Amino acid sequence: MKASKIIIAMMLLSVWGGSMIFADSVAQKVRVVVNGSELDDAGLLQDGKTYLPLRQIAGTLQALVSWDENSKKVTVYKPNVHMFLFQDNVIFGNVNKNNRYTFKVFAQIDNLLTDVAAVKVSIFDPYGSEKVIQQQTVNVTKDNFWFRTEDIKYNFDAAGKYSVRFYMKAGDSDEWRQVSEKLITAQ
């Protein structure tokens, strides 16, 4: 009786192992690298086609993603967003650490092919802590618009890269999507 249980267990393990090997050969994981950074979620290679994690790639490419459940359709929108940082009337991007600066962010947005409900501008210190500079709802009916923040007073306490990021919230989403980024270097 003991021998028959061992034989049955061996047969089950053989079938399970063969299934796993077959499943692995049908769909293989693919490493995905975007702009030099490897994504956490790997893609899949199946039947000669590559499947990628769209939301994560759209975030890396700074695009908006819209999902229509009824038609099972994904649409990716990549607006052109150009940001400029001004101190008085001078463009800047390098600062001295341990100093307080007053500046504003100006963004020019074009090729906007979807409705946008809100915009947000944040600054991230070298350690990744976020400070929201300005957030507001917008009513954009054209494919382009301009946005300027109020004056920002900010202490650059540490040396390193500070990231100023521009976000949009699509009209049909509650999710903020980063669409542009500028770096400020504090030395």
Side-chain angles (χ1 to χ4, degrees):
M1 178 137 160
K2 192 174 190 180
S4 64
K5 285 184 180 180
I6 291 175
I7 291 173
I8 291 173
M10 293 290 286
M11 289 175 55
L12 286 173
L13 286 173
S14 295
V15 170
W16 180 76
S19 300
M20 294 306 290
I21 290 171
F22 177 74
D24 190 41
S25 67
V26 172
Q28 297 175 348
K29 284 191 172 186
V30 176
R31 290 179 47 215
V32 180
V33 180
V34 178
N35 290 336
S37 297
E38 188 167 342
L39 300 182
D40 294 334
D41 293 334
L44 292 176
L45 178 64
Q46 185 173 357
D47 298 329
K49 294 181 182 176
T50 306
Y51 299 92
L52 301 175
L54 184 60
R55 287 197 182 273
Q56 191 174 11
I57 289 176
T60 304
L61 297 176
Q62 300 178 346
L64 300 167
V65 177
S66 176
W67 168 252
D68 184 345
E69 179 66 34
N70 294 332
S71 65
K72 303 290 187 219
K73 179 173 111 177
V74 175
T75 306
V76 178
Y77 301 101
K78 176 66 175 115
N80 295 322
V81 181
H82 305 280
M83 284 195 308
F84 306 94
L85 309 176
F86 287 92
Q87 184 180 29
D88 297 321
N89 289 328
V90 178
I91 297 174
F92 83 107
N94 294 321
V95 297
N96 295 319
K97 71 175 184 169
N98 298 322
N99 283 325
R100 183 178 181 93
Y101 289 86
T102 301
F103 65 98
K104 38 186 168 267
V105 177
F106 177 79
Q108 176 188 0
I109 299 95
D110 60 47
N111 194 37
L112 183 61
L113 303 175
T114 187
D115 294 335
V116 173
V119 295
K120 174 175 84 167
V121 179
S122 292
I123 188 166
F124 290 79
D125 67 19
Y127 309 107
S129 297
E130 177 184 18
K131 178 185 181 206
V132 176
I133 294 171
Q134 191 168 328
Q135 174 180 326
Q136 70 184 59
T137 59
V138 293
N139 185 9
V140 180
T141 57
K142 301 183 275 186
D143 69 343
N144 65 76
F145 71 99
W146 297 267
F147 181 80
R148 189 189 75 180
T149 64
E150 299 169 3
D151 282 348
I152 304 151
K153 293 179 171 68
Y154 190 80
N155 292 327
F156 292 88
D157 295 330
K161 303 280 185 196
Y162 290 77
S163 176
V164 178
R165 298 178 187 165
F166 191 89
Y167 294 87
M168 290 182 171
K169 189 185 289 189
D172 61 349
S173 173
D174 290 336
E175 189 175 343
W176 288 107
R177 285 292 186 179
Q178 179 186 332
V179 293
S180 188
E181 178 178 40
K182 285 290 181 198
L183 293 179
I184 299 172
T185 302
Q187 299 175 4

